[in-house]
Amino acid sequence: MEIPIRILHPDATVPEYAHEGDAGCDLVAVESQVIPAGGGRAMVSTGLSVAIPEGHGGFVLPRSGLAAQHGVTCINAPGLIDAGYRGEVMVALVNLDPTHDYEVKKGDRIAQLVVLRVPLATFTTVEELPEARRGEGGFGSSGR
């Protein structure tokens, strides 16, 4: 699948897959920012805009290394880039480490982008929903 991309910043990096067969490609920061400990947030610029194809969505996901090693993740994971959006791809990061600020440096890989097919749904009002094995069991209903 070919995705048109527009470079908005001279230091922007075109997303790449780190390894053959990877599902997510890296998004890279074009600016440095410090994200304060204990829930500090930052909108980090990638310097790119993309044209996700109709019938698809671009899902911005955390990088596992940032989350595991530093407590930094995407606050709205997954972030969604709709097919019709043409603005800059920004990454909403949060620092969940209770004591250490985190410095995003220009050129850091800050998130990953996964492009998936998304079917268009239509919704129909009904009196009863079809039976299902789970039924109305909600949060925690499947046990520990």
Side-chain angles (χ1 to χ4, degrees):
M1 170 186 317
E2 187 171 310
I3 297 179
I5 192 162
R6 185 169 171 230
I7 306 294
L8 306 173
H9 188 283
D11 296 324
T13 302
V14 174
E16 294 182 337
Y17 295 93
H19 304 282
E20 187 175 330
D22 283 356
C25 55
D26 292 322
L27 294 175
V28 176
V30 294
E31 61 186 346
S32 297
Q33 288 192 43
V34 174
I35 308 173
R41 297 180 297 270
M43 292 296 291
V44 183
S45 173
T46 66
L48 304 170
S49 60
V50 297
I52 301 294
E54 287 293 324
H56 293 76
F59 296 86
V60 179
L61 301 168
R63 294 193 66 241
S64 56
L66 275 181
Q69 296 169 22
H70 303 286
V72 174
T73 189
C74 296
I75 197 165
N76 63 327
L80 173 61
I81 304 170
D82 287 309
Y85 178 68
R86 294 297 183 268
E88 182 175 6
V89 175
M90 303 288 289
V91 178
L93 293 177
V94 61
N95 182 359
L96 301 176
D97 187 287
T99 56
H100 296 92
D101 293 347
Y102 182 77
E103 182 181 0
V104 174
K105 295 183 181 116
K106 183 177 173 179
D108 283 354
R109 295 174 296 153
I110 55 171
Q112 45 189 335
L113 174 65
V114 176
V115 179
L116 299 171
R117 181 174 299 280
V118 180
L120 183 62
T122 57
F123 297 90
T124 305
T125 303
V126 297
E127 293 297 321
E128 295 285 330
L129 294 175
E131 291 292 321
R133 180 176 292 157
R134 179 175 176 175
E136 294 185 16
F139 293 107
S141 66
S142 62
R144 191 176 171 132

